[in-house]
Amino acid sequence: MGMVGGGKGAFIGAVHRISAQLDNQIELVCGAFSSDPVNSVASGKALYLDEQRCYASYQEMFEKERELGDDGMDMVAIVTPNHLHFPIAKMALEHGFHVMSDKPATVDLSEALALKEIIEQTGLLYGLTHTYTGYPMVKEAKARIKKGLIGKVKKVVVEYPQGWLANKSDEQSKQAAWRLDPKTAGISCCMGDIGVHAANLAEYVTGLEITNLCAELSSNVSGRVLDDDGSVLLRFNNGAQGVLLASQISVGEENSLKLRVYGETASIEWSQLEPNSVWMKFADKPSQLIRAGVGEMDEITQANMRTPAGHPEGYLEAFANIYTQFSYQIRSRLFGLSEDVNIGAMNDVPGINTAIRGMAFIENVVAASQSELKWHPF
Amino acid sequence: MGMVGGGKGAFIGAVHRISAQLDNQIELVCGAFSSDPVNSVASGKALYLDEQRCYASYQEMFEKERELGDDGMDMVAIVTPNHLHFPIAKMALEHGFHVMSDKPATVDLSEALALKEIIEQTGLLYGLTHTYTGYPMVKEAKARIKKGLIGKVKKVVVEYPQGWLANKSDEQSKQAAWRLDPKTAGISCCMGDIGVHAANLAEYVTGLEITNLCAELSSNVSGRVLDDDGSVLLRFNNGAQGVLLASQISVGEENSLKLRVYGETASIEWSQLEPNSVWMKFADKPSQLIRAGVGEMDEITQANMRTPAGHPEGYLEAFANIYTQFSYQIRSRLFGLSEDVNIGAMNDVPGINTAIRGMAFIENVVAASQSELKWHPF
Amino acid sequence: MGMVGGGKGAFIGAVHRISAQLDNQIELVCGAFSSDPVNSVASGKALYLDEQRCYASYQEMFEKERELGDDGMDMVAIVTPNHLHFPIAKMALEHGFHVMSDKPATVDLSEALALKEIIEQTGLLYGLTHTYTGYPMVKEAKARIKKGLIGKVKKVVVEYPQGWLANKSDEQSKQAAWRLDPKTAGISCCMGDIGVHAANLAEYVTGLEITNLCAELSSNVSGRVLDDDGSVLLRFNNGAQGVLLASQISVGEENSLKLRVYGETASIEWSQLEPNSVWMKFADKPSQLIRAGVGEMDEITQANMRTPAGHPEGYLEAFANIYTQFSYQIRSRLFGLSEDVNIGAMNDVPGINTAIRGMAFIENVVAASQSELKWHPF
Amino acid sequence: MGMVGGGKGAFIGAVHRISAQLDNQIELVCGAFSSDPVNSVASGKALYLDEQRCYASYQEMFEKERELGDDGMDMVAIVTPNHLHFPIAKMALEHGFHVMSDKPATVDLSEALALKEIIEQTGLLYGLTHTYTGYPMVKEAKARIKKGLIGKVKKVVVEYPQGWLANKSDEQSKQAAWRLDPKTAGISCCMGDIGVHAANLAEYVTGLEITNLCAELSSNVSGRVLDDDGSVLLRFNNGAQGVLLASQISVGEENSLKLRVYGETASIEWSQLEPNSVWMKFADKPSQLIRAGVGEMDEITQANMRTPAGHPEGYLEAFANIYTQFSYQIRSRLFGLSEDVNIGAMNDVPGINTAIRGMAFIENVVAASQSELKWHPF
């Protein structure tokens, strides 16, 4: 694997590197870690890479690695600022490399659609690190709903409150700066950064699609252009109702992503801050606290766990699940499948369709917020 | 105290009796417990009342008790089905009795406004058992916000999910039957029964007023006319945003009333199922779990607690707080105030203004739900 | 009911009065609230009692109330300091009154045995407010173990940490003063005050008896004579092991009484600070959170609940269960049983045998602590 | 790094590999994964190792890798069954390799003492994967106690309940078989496997030493020779009291390792199942929930975290902290220290002294259990 972006000082680059290599199925062999060639080489060397493969630009990397043939990288991880995701992914695909992109795939929906065409033309693999769906107990929740254990879904409540942008003084950090700037972040801050995770989680777990939105986005600090908070009413394609809350001004909240799905016969609940548990609640019997590894787990859940019950897994492992399953996809193309690989899990990697759905969500939720009418079609 | 309604088999009548007498400030002396005279007497005798004061009708009770003068009751508790609350309260006031009414005060807003006029004309006291604001830690949350401990309120999330009406088979019970029938319940089931509690809690704790609503009410079981679920976006009079969720189809939920208020510098959280705790969360320091009786409590909180830290109080004590503080209001009129009475707490009893606000909420949220426009003024 | 003790300023007297009257089965009609006649009358008048029945001493009360015959009290509640419990109970029984005594029954085991003889001779009823076993979900835990739902009990862990006596400065309060003084508290502070609750809870819920103790009691503040902390290893009569922890120096703990019982096939857990829940855990399936009123409850549990699911009950209701069930015992003697009364629940009131067991625990645990040998027989 | 043990089918070998490589500071380059040469090669190839460096025995590996000089491995990870830990570590050290050993270091105390001598003679580095002390919030708890934030420690409660050996049928697994066999497990099952973790955690966090033990170990399944449950009273070198509970028969418990430390002014609490939190409780102010990354963290805590607040870390990251800090120790010897490395954190790796302390605990707790006297010196 090669990497574009993620030089010294970047947060998400390190997360990608740890996650990609966690299961020993992917090796980082080269990178264009920075637009500054000196920094790129320094970053690569700090990672114990061959200096020859620490490139000054992604263009150079794609050229040189293609020339290396079988000795070159098979895939590239893109961890740059958002507006570069698309051109880099495009060029990588056109040079024959599979792509794992940090979220969001592109800056807008039209780019995402264009990307899909390129993927289809090249026939290569594309993955997107929608991390939260990588948690094993999220997969368990999805499996249980799919098996009918809560009956028909009637109501969905998904929320993602954070507090880190609550005040003017919070705007100093590099992380905050680009997210609040329309030039780098696109048309939305809160919905684009975290609302889209909430929407994706709701659709992933329920297997439903949002069909209509009623949204109220707001900006709560003077001088701020983009939204930092939003509340959205949802309608789903099976007639279910829903609510989505996302906020960056909810002081004191960490990444409190939480999903509740109410069905006809039971409900199911998952929370990112306690990711190894799922709650099921019933009308006439005790609630169940389902812990990772205790009792029967779905095959796909199991394929995404490394440790037995009682050994908490976390965010990095959820992230790694996406990479590792993606590596099985690549390996399957190159060498065929090992017997150990769970095909269902392997095909569970978020890809271009998730990317398109996400970009469409962002555009629609912003449009819904601007509308005076209550309901906006998705 | 006399009671109208609450004969054998009724749930809320017993709650009122326990709560009214819990602090030994109010004594039940008479009642018209049922429209069936035989049942009324039987109910009263089971309560060890003088048979002479177990009346066949509330009309009879008001007449006879007035004749008793100082030996007659001072106040009446109304615990009948909703549509009778107004005529009984009216007659009680006109006969010179203070009134404590079960929620809702009336069947619609116009009755509530009419009731206010009668109260003002008679100069008598009127209380409404909006139970949840009787919890000491709800009062503590209110006090902390009032003292500025979370800064200006920016966002409010209040939810009241229940699951007891999720299915057709749940409609058999007496409790369900009248709530789902427009003739006895009015224009709303879910919002009228529990949404109004959520709205009241949000306004009570924050000290703010809802100014605009965007609502989606729904009915999720075939044949059902009234709403059993609703999601509402809120705007408050200080510019804060909010969300209110109420549901009777959220399978597995008990009375999971929960309030979160996010201010500029901190947030505050309370949940009815763990009523003796309040959470405060901050941007840059540990969250605080504030337990009833541990550390400094507001004077009004203290005036509504009976036990020191470590002795959980519950729903009946919250209910009793309303009655006991109301008894101090009456006593203050009759005899002046004891030194022990906390005047702030005494004046904290929900009354006709809360009633009007509640009826207005119900009418407006139904109207908002029917509108095609997003925002409906409150 | 009459009351001895519980004048102005006392905590537990008020708890007894609220609890006794909560279900409207018992009425406070007289009292000797203080050894100071003026205070006794003042206290009684503040409770709206007839001044004639506010006595200067318990001796006077027992005499006068006996003379009143059927118009006199039927039972007496004893809420004085511990060393007076026995003489008052003795005199009450000898004057023909049933007795409800605050815990502990007596100051030592020999008194408790003497009291049993008097009870048997008089044929009257005797109850002891071992509050925690009054909680409905404690009864549910007991019922589930009795039904075999966890298999044979193998291990018991019970703990009761408090922090209120952690420091020298905590000794100022009246509550602390008498508990730390051997003259009023007897041979133990921590074990006598709360360890005995833990032991009682363990034996009550499991239905087992402790047969051997290994104890380490300690006194952690300079100048303190009695224990303020203790850890005890237990053996039970079915071969199970156990541990009992009690502490008054565990800073930051409220009344964190908690019981865990591990059986061959499942475990069960209850905590006083969240009294409306019981946890059951299993080897190969999800844990269950059993909430009061959700799903099937044992008959005795139900007979000790007032509110449906979602309405938390607390300490006062647990206390009231003991009084109310005791009132059914008295009523049953006087008038026979009502159909509504659950006989099993009525016979579930802690009485003289619980008292004896408790006094024996205190004496044995102190002896065990003083022994150099590991195990001390109980 | 080379590895001894951890071939296909082993659990802990994979944990070591993931953890060692997680921060990209250590690379697995060779191994003797199995005593079966074919399996060893197959295992190594599945890990993408050079077949030439997949050895048939650890003896061969140490010889060959020494011959490779600077191109050979620097350190070896030992993940075999317990009784082989010592001879392998000995030979590795004698061939010039640093050693990271799975817990326990040896089968008894005398071996551990012998190992210390060898380490001192060779001057090489030795680490022991006492995983739980690798959690950042365990380090935070330790730091807060060291800073005096809870005052002098008065009481320690540490417990490690598991349920996986509760029944006869649980003995089938490979994991169970060797732990219950004195030949491979030594003189204790429960205390040797998990009790020692609890003791280590208590001493690590408090900075105190256990000086006396009173123990009751038991075996709860017929035919079982070694202990599967134990309760231990503790005395510490500062006069504090303590309790240690460890169990493998507590049905329904996962790895519920939990530590509570009560000081004069506050208490602190950590639980492995929610490892990113620490609780502090106080006498007169709200409890604090301290979350990883929220508010000020100690420098050593920070040096052991990879993700900001809101991204849960887990067991593998705790494990990786031990490896990564150990790699800094090696690197420091080889190349000097990078500026980024926190020296305090680097010196926080469990080593031979921890190993000796652990083996001594096991021998003493077994002796204490066999004694008829209450207290046994440690």
Side-chain angles (χ1 to χ4, degrees), chain A residues 154-155 159 167 215-216 220 229 231 235 241 243 251-253 260 262 264 267 368-369 371-372 374, chain B residues 154-155 159 167 215-216 220 229 231 235 241 243 251 253 260 262 264 267 282 368-369 371-372 374:
Chain A
K154 305 289 284 186
K155 185 164 188 184
E159 46 185 307
N167 292 294
E216 167 82 341
N220 291 276
D229 184 274
S231 303
R235 287 178 178 166
Q241 314 288 328
V243 183
V251 176
E253 301 282 8
R260 289 175 277 175
Y262 299 98
E264 276 180 321
S267 65
S369 180
S371 169
E372 294 204 352
K374 194 189 290 178
Chain B
K154 306 288 283 187
K155 185 162 188 187
E159 47 185 306
N167 291 294
E216 167 82 342
N220 291 275
D229 184 274
S231 303
R235 287 178 177 166
Q241 314 288 327
V243 183
V251 175
E253 300 282 8
R260 288 176 276 175
Y262 298 98
E264 277 181 320
S267 65
F282 306 88
S369 180
S371 168
E372 294 204 351
K374 194 188 291 179

Side-chain angles (χ1 to χ4, degrees), chain D residues 212-283:
Chain D
N212 295 77
L213 300 163
C214 165
E216 167 83 342
L217 309 188
S218 63
S219 186
N220 292 275
V221 171
S222 72
R224 209 169 266 183
V225 184
L226 298 179
D227 56 297
D228 52 25
D229 185 273
S231 303
V232 189
L233 307 184
L234 307 171
R235 285 179 179 165
F236 289 89
N237 59 343
N238 77 334
Q241 313 288 329
V243 183
L244 182 155
L245 309 180
S247 178
Q248 294 165 323
I249 60 144
S250 293
V251 176
E253 300 284 6
E254 302 174 49
N255 292 337
S256 304
L257 177 62
K258 184 175 169 183
L259 175 69
R260 288 176 277 175
V261 182
Y262 298 99
E264 276 182 320
T265 59
S267 64
I268 208 158
E269 190 174 319
W270 178 83
S271 170
Q272 202 256 150
L273 292 185
E274 199 182 331
N276 298 292
S277 299
V278 157
W279 278 95
M280 282 190 76
K281 296 182 182 173
F282 306 89

Side-chain angles (χ1 to χ4, degrees), chain A residues 119-337:
Chain A
I119 292 165
E120 287 173 350
Q121 284 160 12
T122 59
L124 291 164
L125 295 166
Y126 178 86
L128 187 72
T129 53
H130 251 292
T131 324
Y132 302 110
T133 59
Y135 277 109
M137 294 310 278
V138 167
K139 296 180 187 293
E140 183 65 23
K142 178 185 178 71
R144 288 177 180 241
I145 291 173
K146 197 172 174 187
K147 288 168 188 167
L149 299 184
I150 71 167
K152 187 186 166 193
V153 172
K154 305 289 284 186
K155 185 164 188 184
V156 179
V157 181
V158 64
E159 46 185 307
Y160 195 155
Q162 297 178 329
W164 70 294
L165 293 178
N167 292 294
K168 195 74 191 168
S169 56
D170 298 323
E171 298 183 2
Q172 308 297 330
S173 79
K174 187 179 156 189
Q175 301 280 338
W178 76 255
R179 278 185 176 80
L180 287 165
D181 181 351
K183 280 178 230 133
T184 41
I187 58 174
S188 168
C189 175
C190 179
M191 285 294 152
D193 195 31
I194 59 172
V196 69
H197 274 302
N200 174 242
L201 183 68
E203 292 195 342
Y204 176 80
V205 171
T206 61
L208 300 176
E209 292 199 347
I210 299 166
T211 57
N212 295 78
L213 300 164
C214 165
E216 167 82 341
L217 308 188
S218 63
S219 185
N220 291 276
V221 171
S222 73
R224 209 169 267 184
V225 185
L226 297 180
D227 57 298
D228 52 25
D229 184 274
S231 303
V232 190
L233 308 184
L234 307 170
R235 287 178 178 166
F236 289 89
N237 60 341
N238 77 334
Q241 314 288 328
V243 183
L244 181 155
L245 309 180
S247 178
Q248 295 164 321
I249 59 144
S250 293
V251 176
E253 301 282 8
E254 303 173 48
N255 292 337
S256 304
L257 177 62
K258 185 175 169 183
L259 174 69
R260 289 175 277 175
V261 183
Y262 299 98
E264 276 180 321
T265 58
S267 65
I268 208 159
E269 192 173 318
W270 177 83
S271 171
Q272 202 257 151
L273 292 186
E274 198 183 333
N276 298 293
S277 298
V278 157
W279 277 95
M280 282 190 77
K281 295 181 182 174
F282 305 89
D284 294 320
K285 59 178 187 177
S287 296
Q288 294 180 357
L289 175 59
I290 302 155
R291 296 274 306 162
V294 178
E296 210 177 327
M297 298 279 115
D298 186 75
E299 279 189 340
I300 293 184
T301 310
Q302 290 179 50
N304 285 280
M305 289 174 63
R306 287 155 196 81
T307 50
H311 303 79
E313 294 197 59
Y315 176 80
L316 293 170
E317 287 81 13
F319 216 108
N321 288 335
I322 294 174
Y323 265 103
T324 297
Q325 299 298 338
F326 191 66
S327 79
Y328 294 146
Q329 292 184 0
I330 296 176
R331 198 170 306 280
S332 152
R333 292 226 176 167
L334 296 174
F335 315 108
L337 273 176

Side-chain angles (χ1 to χ4, degrees), chain D residues 68-376:
Chain D
L68 290 174
D70 282 358
D71 293 334
M73 68 178 184
D74 295 309
M75 64 175 281
V76 65
I78 304 174
V79 297
T80 62
N82 295 356
H83 62 292
L84 298 173
H85 290 180
F86 175 68
I88 298 170
K90 181 173 182 293
M91 189 177 178
L93 291 162
E94 289 169 352
H95 281 70
F97 301 112
H98 305 296
V99 170
M100 177 64 77
S101 173
D102 198 52
K103 191 226 76 171
T106 58
V107 294
D108 60 26
L109 177 57
S110 63
E111 273 188 4
L113 293 166
L115 185 57
K116 183 171 184 175
E117 272 193 43
I118 300 166
I119 293 166
E120 286 173 352
Q121 284 160 12
T122 59
L124 291 165
L125 296 166
Y126 178 86
L128 188 71
T129 53
H130 251 293
T131 324
Y132 302 111
T133 59
Y135 277 110
M137 295 310 277
V138 167
K139 295 178 186 295
E140 183 64 23
K142 178 186 178 69
R144 287 177 180 240
I145 290 172
K146 197 171 174 187
K147 288 168 189 167
L149 300 184
I150 71 167
K152 187 186 165 195
V153 171
K154 305 288 282 185
K155 186 166 188 186
V156 179
V157 181
V158 64
E159 46 186 306
Y160 196 153
Q162 298 179 329
W164 70 293
L165 292 178
N167 292 294
K168 194 75 192 166
S169 56
D170 297 324
E171 298 183 0
Q172 309 297 330
S173 79
K174 186 180 157 189
Q175 301 281 338
W178 76 256
R179 278 184 177 81
L180 288 165
D181 182 351
K183 281 176 229 134
T184 41
I187 59 173
S188 167
C189 176
C190 180
M191 284 295 150
D193 196 31
I194 60 172
V196 69
H197 275 302
N200 173 241
L201 183 68
E203 292 196 341
Y204 176 80
V205 171
T206 61
L208 300 176
E209 292 199 348
I210 299 167
T211 57
N212 295 77
L213 300 163
C214 165
E216 167 83 342
L217 309 188
S218 63
S219 186
N220 292 275
V221 171
S222 72
R224 209 169 266 183
V225 184
L226 298 179
D227 56 297
D228 52 25
D229 185 273
S231 303
V232 189
L233 307 184
L234 307 171
R235 285 179 179 165
F236 289 89
N237 59 343
N238 77 334
Q241 313 288 329
V243 183
L244 182 155
L245 309 180
S247 178
Q248 294 165 323
I249 60 144
S250 293
V251 176
E253 300 284 6
E254 302 174 49
N255 292 337
S256 304
L257 177 62
K258 184 175 169 183
L259 175 69
R260 288 176 277 175
V261 182
Y262 298 99
E264 276 182 320
T265 59
S267 64
I268 208 158
E269 190 174 319
W270 178 83
S271 170
Q272 202 256 150
L273 292 185
E274 199 182 331
N276 298 292
S277 299
V278 157
W279 278 95
M280 282 190 76
K281 296 182 182 173
F282 306 89
D284 295 319
K285 58 178 189 176
S287 296
Q288 294 181 358
L289 175 59
I290 302 156
R291 295 275 306 161
V294 177
E296 210 177 325
M297 298 278 117
D298 185 76
E299 279 189 342
I300 293 183
T301 310
Q302 290 179 50
N304 285 281
M305 290 175 63
R306 288 154 196 82
T307 51
H311 303 80
E313 294 196 60
Y315 175 81
L316 294 170
E317 288 80 12
F319 216 108
N321 288 336
I322 294 174
Y323 265 104
T324 297
Q325 299 297 339
F326 191 66
S327 79
Y328 294 147
Q329 292 184 0
I330 297 176
R331 198 170 306 281
S332 151
R333 293 231 177 161
L334 296 174
F335 315 109
L337 274 176
S338 151
E339 287 174 6
D340 294 343
V341 171
N342 179 303
I343 295 172
M346 185 184 88
N347 290 328
D348 197 32
V349 178
I352 187 63
N353 291 328
T354 300
I356 289 170
R357 190 86 191 140
M359 296 318 298
F361 170 77
I362 295 167
E363 298 201 355
N364 278 289
V365 81
V366 169
S369 181
Q370 288 161 351
S371 169
E372 293 205 354
L373 293 178
K374 195 188 287 176
W375 287 105
H376 176 89

Side-chain angles (χ1 to χ4, degrees), chain B residues 242-303:
Chain B
V243 183
L244 182 155
L245 309 180
S247 178
Q248 295 164 322
I249 59 144
S250 293
V251 175
E253 300 282 8
E254 302 175 48
N255 292 336
S256 304
L257 177 62
K258 184 175 170 183
L259 175 69
R260 288 176 276 175
V261 183
Y262 298 98
E264 277 181 320
T265 58
S267 65
I268 209 158
E269 192 174 319
W270 177 83
S271 171
Q272 203 257 149
L273 292 185
E274 197 183 334
N276 297 294
S277 299
V278 157
W279 279 95
M280 282 189 76
K281 295 181 183 174
F282 306 88
D284 295 319
K285 58 178 186 176
S287 296
Q288 295 181 356
L289 175 58
I290 302 155
R291 295 274 308 161
V294 178
E296 210 176 327
M297 298 278 115
D298 186 76
E299 279 189 341
I300 293 183
T301 309
Q302 290 180 50

Side-chain angles (χ1 to χ4, degrees), chain C residues 21 27 74 83 123 133 135 148 197 212 215 219-220 252 266 355:
Chain C
Q21 303 188 89
E27 186 184 359
D74 294 309
H83 62 292
T133 58
Y135 276 109
H197 275 302
N212 296 78
S219 187
N220 291 275

